[in-house]
């Protein structure tokens, strides 16, 4: 819950579930952030899922060869596969496998494989033929591998895979070998990573239940691939797939088991599933909180130094805190061990050199700070406070804004209705005394509307709440009047009314006459 501050004839505060809305918006765009953190939404398969097959990547051998030669080789490989599929004589199976392997080799060895050439040569129909039920596992695996890397291409290249989807989904079933099922899951994960349109096609064809069942065993590689594919499949914006997933029998227990016992690579993929479950589905959020997943997330945050793992684990924690009011009121009870552990891991993240961890940690703290007075006192008396004050004055803008929400929430009590909140004057005086006002006035000067509103709201607290009318002198000393006057003719009516109202009320004609 974030503190929302509004302006009418006077300024007042409301406690609203803005954070829960924002976690849903974040879920839609987090794919980009995920790629930036080295976890790609689509993945080229260079090394196979089977330990028995030939999986060498020798990916750079032909990097400097002419593109025309590569295209010629690819077209030739497709024609060879067509010939092998049509052949019915002795050694037909091995002929097909060899042809598939050659095509897979060409589609696996380069950063930008010759997908367009393979499609123009007619690769998809013949690869679909190779997925036919009753085919040997080696053939199925090689065909699915080729389709996986075609699906890792551009949108129009991924779209060419649509005729293959029913068979790829069918091979996820229990009758398929683990390597074949995993390779098919990988291909489907690439398709889901292309966008909402493709996710809807997969969902309508029933891809979710068999992928979910692949997460139930303790097979590390298979579970990892299935979890990654599922995180692509449920990433929104429609919350229904996330709700459907959490209701799959045994899925919640499997998530808890993997978070508790799995290696960091597998836990990372499972944590991304939790990110989207908790961001999009209130049903999933409630079930996750009741399951005790918070403790497992906190333990992972405390013991891991892997950025790839810490990002989804911290985001999951933030989503659960923001999305379920009972998390703060019933689970994160001041004085309980879990609450102290949460604060400790958030302090660890605030100290991190990684920007994304600082920002996420501040977001979690802002929602805890929107809880009871006891929650505010807990943060105010913790090591986190000094770190937050330092970040407000030194950090990049996006972190500074998140930190400002924490500090602002520490200074007011939740109220019923639409009246002014009750100030926690002790916290306000403490924060202002430690130099935070200048940071909020910097936000007022920013071009970001949300940040400017937040800065003005904190200035209102200072003007209204500092003892002995010190607020006006402090605001003037930090050039706050000048910062507010830039809104005198601002196009945003709320900000214009808010700033002009503060200037008129506290710095009107009578200001300074007593001196």
């Amino acid at each position: 819950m974030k503190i929302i501050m509004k302006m009418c004839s006077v300024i007042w505060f409301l406690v609203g579930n803005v954070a829960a809305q924002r976690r849903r918006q974040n879920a839609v765009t987090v794919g980009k952030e995920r790629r930036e953190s080295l976890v790609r939404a689509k993945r080229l398969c260079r090394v196979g899922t089977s330990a028995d097959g030939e999986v060498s990547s020798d990916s750079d051998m032909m990097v400097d060869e002419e593109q025309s030669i590569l295209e010629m080789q690819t077209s030739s490989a497709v024609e060879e596969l067509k010939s092998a599929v049509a052949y019915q004589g002795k050694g037909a199976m091995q002929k097909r496998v060899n042809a598939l392997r050659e095509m897979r080799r060409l589609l696996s060895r380069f950063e930008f494989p010759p997908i367009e050439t393979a499609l123009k040569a007619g690769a998809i129909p013949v690869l679909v033929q190779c997925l036919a039920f009753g085919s040997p596992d080696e053939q199925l695996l090689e065909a699915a591998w080729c389709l996986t890397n075609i699906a890792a291409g551009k949108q129009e290249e991924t779209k060419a895979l649509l005729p293959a989807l029913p068979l790829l989904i069918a091979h996820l079933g229990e009758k398929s070998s683990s390597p074949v099922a995993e390779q098919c899951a990988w291909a489907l994960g690439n398709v889901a990573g292309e966008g909402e349109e493709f996710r809807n096609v997969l969902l309508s064809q029933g891809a979710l239940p068999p992928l979910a069942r692949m997460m139930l065993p303790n097979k590390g590689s298979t579970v990892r691939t299935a979890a990654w594919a599922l995180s692509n499949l449920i990433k929104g914006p429609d919350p229904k797939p996330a709700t459907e997933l959490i209701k799959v029998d045994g899925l919640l227990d499997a998530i808890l088991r993997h978070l508790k016992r799995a290696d960091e690579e597998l836990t990372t993929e499972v944590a991304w599933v939790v990110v989207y479950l908790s961001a999009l589905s209130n049903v999933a959020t409630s079930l996750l909180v009741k399951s005790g997943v918070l403790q497992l997330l906190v333990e992972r945050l405390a013991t891991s130094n892997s950025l790839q793992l810490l990002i989804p684990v911290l985001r999951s924690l933030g989503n659960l805190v923001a999305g379920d009011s009972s998390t703060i009121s019933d689970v994160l009870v001041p004085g309980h061990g879990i609450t102290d552990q949460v604060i400790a891991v958030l302090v660890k993240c605030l100290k991190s050199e990684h920007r994304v961890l600082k920002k996420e940690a501040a977001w979690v703290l802002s929602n805890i700070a929107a809880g009871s007075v006891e929650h505010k006192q807990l943060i105010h008396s913790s090591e986190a406070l000094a770190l937050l004050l330092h970040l407000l004055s030194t950090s990049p803008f996006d972190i500074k804004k998140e930190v400002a929400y924490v500090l602002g929430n520490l200074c007011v009590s939740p109220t019923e209705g639409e009246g002014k909140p009750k100030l926690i004057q002790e916290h306000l005086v403490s924060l202002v005394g430690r130099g935070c006002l200048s940071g909020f006035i910097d936000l007022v000067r920013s071009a970001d509307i949300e940040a400017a509103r937040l800065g003005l709201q904190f200035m209102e607290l200072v003007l209204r709440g500092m003892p002995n009318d010190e607020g006006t002198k402090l605001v003037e000393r930090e050039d706050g009047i000048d910062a507010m006057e830039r809104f005198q003719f601002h196009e945003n009516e709320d900000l214009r009314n808010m700033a002009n109202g503060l200037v008129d009320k506290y710095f009107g004609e009578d200001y300074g006459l007593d001196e």
Side-chain angles (χ1 to χ4, degrees):
M1 296 176 292
K2 282 277 175 78
I3 301 293
I4 309 174
M5 309 171 192
K6 286 188 174 182
M7 173 73 188
C8 190
S9 56
V10 294
I11 295 175
W12 74 93
F13 298 71
L14 293 172
V15 177
N17 204 7
V18 176
Q21 298 172 18
R22 196 176 73 176
R23 68 192 169 95
R24 293 185 176 88
Q25 295 168 354
N26 282 351
V28 179
T29 58
V30 74
K32 180 171 182 283
E33 297 174 23
R34 191 174 178 182
R35 287 193 294 274
E36 290 170 351
S37 63
L38 306 181
V39 186
R40 295 179 56 187
K42 300 178 78 172
R43 299 175 178 177
L44 196 68
C45 180
R46 298 192 188 278
V47 180
T49 60
S50 171
D52 301 324
E54 179 208 338
V55 294
S56 61
S57 62
D58 59 354
S59 56
D60 297 322
M61 288 177 59
M62 296 178 60
V63 130
D64 295 324
E65 291 191 19
E66 292 289 338
Q67 184 69 23
S68 59
I69 297 177
L70 175 60
E71 291 174 355
M72 184 174 63
Q73 290 177 325
T74 304
S75 296
S76 176
V78 174
E79 292 304 318
E80 182 64 28
L81 179 58
K82 291 178 181 178
S83 174
V85 170
Y87 179 70
Q88 299 295 324
K90 185 178 179 180
M93 183 192 78
Q94 193 57 48
K95 188 176 179 69
R96 289 194 299 273
V97 170
N98 289 341
L100 283 165
R101 185 175 292 132
E102 175 61 17
M103 185 186 300
R104 179 263 294 170
R105 186 181 68 83
L106 292 168
L107 291 171
S108 302
R109 289 171 50 193
F110 307 97
E111 183 178 0
F112 301 104
I115 297 173
E116 184 179 358
T117 301
L119 294 178
K120 286 181 178 178
I124 294 297
V126 70
L127 287 172
V128 172
Q129 283 184 267
C130 292
L131 287 177
F133 277 98
S135 303
D137 276 4
E138 193 173 8
Q139 175 179 315
L140 294 171
L141 183 62
E142 293 288 353
W145 191 340
C146 291
L147 291 167
T148 296
N149 287 355
I150 291 173
K154 301 173 184 176
Q155 183 180 46
E156 60 271 21
E157 294 166 346
T158 304
K159 194 169 186 177
L161 241 73
L162 292 180
L165 296 186
L167 279 172
L168 288 170
I169 294 170
H171 283 300
L172 299 176
E174 296 176 356
K175 294 182 179 180
S176 298
S177 68
S178 291
V180 169
E182 182 179 347
Q183 194 65 62
C184 290
W186 195 332
L188 296 171
N190 276 345
V191 174
E194 187 55 58
E196 182 183 0
E197 174 189 352
F198 294 86
R199 290 194 287 275
N200 289 339
V201 172
L202 289 170
L203 291 165
S204 68
Q205 294 189 12
L208 190 147
L211 281 172
R213 286 192 290 271
M214 288 176 67
M215 281 191 63
L216 303 185
N218 290 321
K219 298 177 181 178
S221 177
T222 301
V223 174
R224 185 169 60 247
T225 301
W228 167 75
L230 281 168
S231 68
N232 272 352
L233 188 60
I234 68 168
K235 67 170 55 171
D238 186 359
K240 292 180 182 177
T243 301
E244 179 185 349
L245 178 59
I246 199 66
K247 292 181 177 179
V248 172
D249 190 35
L251 191 280
L252 181 56
D253 288 339
I255 287 175
L256 298 175
R257 187 173 69 252
H258 297 317
L259 287 177
K260 185 174 183 179
R261 300 175 184 171
D263 60 68
E264 290 198 338
E265 191 175 359
L266 172 53
T267 303
T268 297
E269 299 300 347
V270 173
W272 277 112
V273 174
V274 177
V275 167
Y276 292 112
L277 287 172
S278 56
L280 293 163
S281 170
N282 291 330
V283 173
T285 300
S286 179
L287 290 172
L288 285 164
V289 170
K290 293 175 182 177
S291 74
V293 74
L294 278 173
Q295 182 67 55
L296 298 177
L297 295 174
V298 169
E299 289 172 2
R300 285 291 186 173
L301 283 170
T303 57
S304 177
N305 291 311
S306 165
L307 180 63
Q308 281 70 36
L309 174 59
L310 291 175
I311 289 173
V313 170
L314 182 56
R315 180 159 290 172
S316 296
L317 178 63
N319 286 344
L320 294 171
V321 170
D324 191 320
S325 59
S326 67
T327 305
I328 295 178
S329 60
D330 299 337
V331 181
L332 298 182
V333 179
H336 287 195
I338 180 67
T339 309
D340 294 336
Q341 292 169 20
V342 168
I343 299 298
V345 296
L346 294 176
V347 165
K348 171 188 173 180
C349 293
L350 289 176
K351 291 179 177 179
S352 169
E353 62 184 29
H354 298 294
R355 177 172 178 162
V356 66
L357 295 183
K358 293 178 182 179
K359 181 179 177 181
E360 293 288 334
W363 179 50
V364 180
L365 283 166
S366 71
N367 288 288
I368 298 174
S372 68
V373 173
E374 289 75 21
H375 286 100
K376 301 171 192 293
Q377 291 171 340
L378 178 67
I379 296 174
H380 186 268
S381 61
S382 74
E383 185 182 356
L385 186 64
L387 296 169
L388 292 165
L389 289 166
H390 178 71
L391 290 171
L392 182 67
S393 61
T394 63
S395 61
F397 176 78
D398 57 337
I399 298 175
K400 182 178 294 189
K401 188 165 76 169
E402 293 297 341
V403 167
Y405 268 117
V406 187
L407 299 176
N409 284 352
L410 291 179
C411 296
V412 293
S413 300
T415 56
E416 298 294 334
E418 298 185 351
K420 288 184 181 180
K422 179 181 178 183
L423 276 163
I424 305 179
Q425 191 177 61
E426 177 187 357
H427 289 180
L428 179 66
V429 171
S430 169
L431 296 182
V432 173
R434 296 173 71 169
C436 79
L437 180 57
S438 61
F440 280 94
I441 292 178
D442 284 343
L443 293 182
V444 174
R445 296 190 180 99
S446 76
D448 184 282
I449 296 299
E450 181 186 354
R453 181 181 289 110
L454 180 58
L456 287 171
Q457 291 159 350
F458 191 82
M459 287 174 64
E460 192 274 341
L461 289 180
V462 172
L463 292 168
R464 173 161 59 94
M466 290 297 289
N468 304 318
D469 294 325
E470 291 179 15
T472 52
K473 298 176 183 177
L474 290 167
V475 169
E476 183 178 20
R477 189 184 306 157
E478 297 290 345
D479 292 328
I481 301 175
D482 179 68
M484 286 187 287
E485 285 181 342
R486 67 180 282 263
F487 292 101
Q488 185 174 1
F489 303 105
H490 197 274
E491 61 183 10
N492 185 287
E493 184 179 2
D494 285 345
L495 293 184
R496 185 172 68 245
N497 291 340
M498 189 183 298
N500 291 340
L502 289 175
V503 171
D504 291 344
K505 180 174 181 178
Y506 293 101
F507 302 98
E509 294 180 0
D510 296 334
Y511 175 65
L513 292 181
D514 292 343
E515 298 180 359

